[in-house]
Amino acid sequence: MTSQVPSVATSYHKSSDGKTYTFNLRHNAKWSNGDTVTAKDFVTAWRKGVSPKAMSGYNYIFSNIKNADQISQGKKAVSSLGVKAVGKYKLVVQLENTEPTFIDKMVIPAFYPQNTRLVKKYGAKYGTAAKYTAFDGAFKVTKWTNTSEKWTAVKNP
């Protein structure tokens, strides 16, 4: 059994049937550009990740989240994904079936948030270069483009 150390989440709760997870997020989490990290940023990222247009190849990682398979197959709208923001700091995830390893999967980058404001601002350019991305971890990447195999990481204020 692994032990989880919350990053953006302060805590989470699993429903008694094991199919709903509620994550409570830190109110002081910030993106490298100063924006607040919110539950909507997770919804944005997960909807992008499960979309049939996603080019990451990680659509399958979302498989047990409600409607994820149908969305990936183009049979349902991404807005039907079983993930929602309840206010700014609460993320609720509905699963199709119980999944004992669900929390362990949260360390996979496909589940990381994406800055919703910048995703809308930059569109298809989001994430293609350091200047089109914001970071919410201990470091931010500089001097990188998607064609470069070199980058620089600096302390994130």
Side-chain angles (χ1 to χ4, degrees), residues 117-127 131-134:
R117 187 178 68 78
L118 295 185
V119 167
K120 289 177 182 176
K121 179 179 178 178
Y122 295 128
K125 287 184 178 181
Y126 180 84
K131 68 182 179 179
Y132 300 126
T133 309

Side-chain angles (χ1 to χ4, degrees), residues 31-83:
W31 291 102
S32 55
N33 66 352
D35 291 350
T36 300
V37 179
T38 67
K40 180 69 176 160
D41 295 330
F42 286 89
V43 173
T44 295
W46 294 18
R47 285 180 178 175
K48 281 182 63 185
V50 77
S51 166
K53 296 177 183 178
M55 296 174 60
S56 69
Y58 279 99
N59 297 55
Y60 72 90
I61 206 82
F62 297 93
S63 186
N64 192 34
I65 297 174
K66 183 179 177 185
N67 297 325
D69 291 339
Q70 295 91 340
I71 295 166
S72 289
Q73 296 165 9
K75 296 178 182 176
K76 286 197 174 190
V78 294
S79 60
S80 70
L81 184 65
V83 59

Side-chain angles (χ1 to χ4, degrees), residues 84-133:
K84 67 179 176 178
V86 179
K88 286 179 80 169
Y89 303 109
K90 188 174 288 190
L91 180 71
V92 178
V93 182
Q94 293 178 299
L95 303 180
E96 299 277 354
N97 303 290
T98 60
E99 183 177 347
T101 60
F102 179 70
I103 288 297
D104 295 329
K105 288 179 12 178
M106 295 301 100
V107 300
I108 299 170
F111 291 106
Y112 293 1
Q114 293 182 15
N115 184 303
T116 301
R117 187 178 68 78
L118 295 185
V119 167
K120 289 177 182 176
K121 179 179 178 178
Y122 295 128
K125 287 184 178 181
Y126 180 84
T128 61
K131 68 182 179 179
Y132 300 126
T133 309

